[in-house]
Amino acid sequence: MTFPQIRMRRLRRTPKIRDLTREVVLTPNDLIYPMFIEEGISNPEPIHSMPGQFRFPINGVVEETENIASLGIPAVIIFGVPAKKDETGSSAYNYDGVVQQAVRSMKEQLRDKLVVMTDICLCQYTTHGHCGVVKNGEILNDPTLEILQKIAVSHAEAGADVVAPSGMIDGQVQAIRKALDHAGFTNIAIMAYSAKHASNFYGPFREAAYSAPSFGDRRSYQMDYANPNEALREVKLDIEEGADIVMVKPALAYLDLIYRIKMKYGLPTAAYNVSAEYSMIKATAEKGWIDEKAIVLEVLTAIKRAGADMILTYFAKEVAKWLLGNE
Ligand code: PBG
């Protein structure tokens, strides 16, 4: 009888040996919490399709972000839900717009205790719900860029540390970089939603932000999920245009892209664990069919293992509490 010379189980024997040899360790520092802020409400409103998530009122932002910072989460990304929409999304660059007000108040209070990122897109602000200016049913590219520039500058003026264009409009990173530099915001970073796919995993978000398109879909600007080479090209373009952080979205069904992009370009790489990825786990846990905490930790560790340096996730607060050992 021969015995195995190499026994992998030697380093799996006890919890401490496993702690010592663990390769990928998730920490609160990896997390970015996405926050919905709604104009014109006075109490947090639960989002039906995302149990545990809320639309926050502007006057509740400081309390909520202090809570987030105290959990050791380094960053939030803000999504505005405006009271008024129009054809061109003009409330997105209003000085007193929902994001601008919220960012000013949280920056005044928290200063550098939290990195404030803002999502830059038109879909929550337009009556048609598309991410660009629409003419005869077509989503126009270049006229949209000028609006995105105004939004970016207005977010930077309010105090945003990082702006994150998510509309998949060609040239958006370059246009925003130019506008920010021109306005003196050379130190404000851009996190580009570089490989953002036309995905079926955004449903609950669109309910949360009232941003579903009123006609058609987003496939003329967001990526086809069947095209990995195109995703690499999108990332390359965004890097050339001046992106500081690149993002893959969604995350779970796209781990191959996170891996390839991190390997190929080595830039800080973000992954967006999107709304339906959250809701699927919540719903299954509510049924009692899975152990929520264990599954969430496994999923987020896997996203990090694939190469993500940071993860946008609605689980951020719960995960930070688990990791801090408070729950
Ligand atoms: C807006 C935007 C979307 C998400 C983030 N920014 C939705 C969309 O493209 O319709 C989705 C995030 C999520 O599902 O959690 N462009």
Side-chain angles (χ1 to χ4, degrees), residues 145 149 165 169-181 190 192 237-243:
L145 292 176
Q149 289 179 314
I169 301 299
D170 285 329
Q172 60 182 3
V173 172
Q174 181 180 51
I176 287 172
R177 184 70 271 161
K178 256 196 190 155
L180 289 173
D181 290 354
I190 298 177
L237 271 174
D238 279 358
I239 295 171
E240 287 164 1
E241 290 183 27

Side-chain angles (χ1 to χ4, degrees), residues 2-239:
T2 61
F3 294 97
Q5 181 113 28
I6 294 169
R7 294 179 185 271
M8 300 305 280
R9 292 181 55 196
R10 286 176 195 133
L11 299 182
R12 294 176 195 154
R13 272 177 52 236
T14 70
K16 290 298 175 196
I17 289 186
R18 294 197 289 271
D19 283 348
L20 191 66
T21 55
R22 185 162 301 117
E23 297 175 53
V24 178
V25 179
L26 188 70
T27 82
N29 278 332
D30 302 321
L31 308 173
I32 301 168
Y33 182 59
M35 261 183 97
F36 300 97
I37 302 176
E38 183 170 356
E39 194 170 23
I41 60 172
S42 37
N43 291 302
E45 281 189 0
I47 299 164
H48 174 72
S49 56
M50 299 174 73
Q53 301 303 310
F54 296 86
R55 280 180 292 265
F56 292 95
I58 296 171
N59 64 16
V61 160
V62 169
E63 190 187 332
E64 178 63 12
T65 44
E66 276 177 341
N67 175 29
I68 291 162
S70 73
L71 292 170
I73 297 167
V76 292
I77 182 162
I78 306 297
F79 295 94
V81 183
K84 278 203 192 104
K85 302 181 189 237
D86 62 21
E87 274 290 303
T88 56
S90 63
S91 62
Y93 54 85
N94 187 341
Y95 176 85
D96 274 324
V98 56
V99 172
Q100 290 80 356
Q101 285 190 55
V103 169
R104 272 198 298 276
S105 67
M106 70 179 79
K107 268 294 161 182
E108 212 165 273
Q109 215 54 40
L110 285 111
R111 308 221 170 255
D112 286 340
K113 279 196 259 171
L114 197 64
V115 176
V116 175
M117 304 178 157
T118 56
D119 182 82
I120 296 192
C121 199
L122 290 188
C123 54
Q124 291 109 274
Y125 301 88
T126 50
T127 37
H128 45 73
H130 277 288
C131 305
V133 180
V134 172
K135 200 171 170 190
N136 302 329
E138 193 191 329
I139 290 81
L140 303 181
N141 199 84
D142 299 6
T144 303
L145 292 176
E146 290 170 29
I147 302 175
L148 298 180
Q149 289 179 314
K150 288 187 201 170
I151 303 174
V153 170
S154 78
H155 288 182
E157 278 168 350
D161 299 296
V162 179
V163 295
S166 69
M168 292 300 278
I169 301 299
D170 285 329
Q172 60 182 3
V173 172
Q174 181 180 51
I176 287 172
R177 184 70 271 161
K178 256 196 190 155
L180 289 173
D181 290 354
H182 186 74
F185 296 110
T186 50
N187 289 332
I188 301 307
I190 298 177
M191 174 167 76
Y193 284 69
S194 303
K196 176 173 179 180
H197 296 81
S199 168
N200 301 294
F201 286 92
Y202 305 153
F205 175 99
R206 291 179 188 170
E207 186 202 309
Y210 310 113
S211 61
S214 65
F215 67 90
D217 55 43
R218 303 207 200 287
R219 283 184 289 184
S220 77
Y221 42 106
Q222 296 181 348
M223 273 198 56
D224 183 339
Y225 56 74
N227 296 356
N229 291 320
E230 188 186 335
L232 294 182
R233 204 162 163 222
E234 281 281 7
V235 169
K236 181 167 183 274
L237 271 174
D238 279 358
I239 295 171

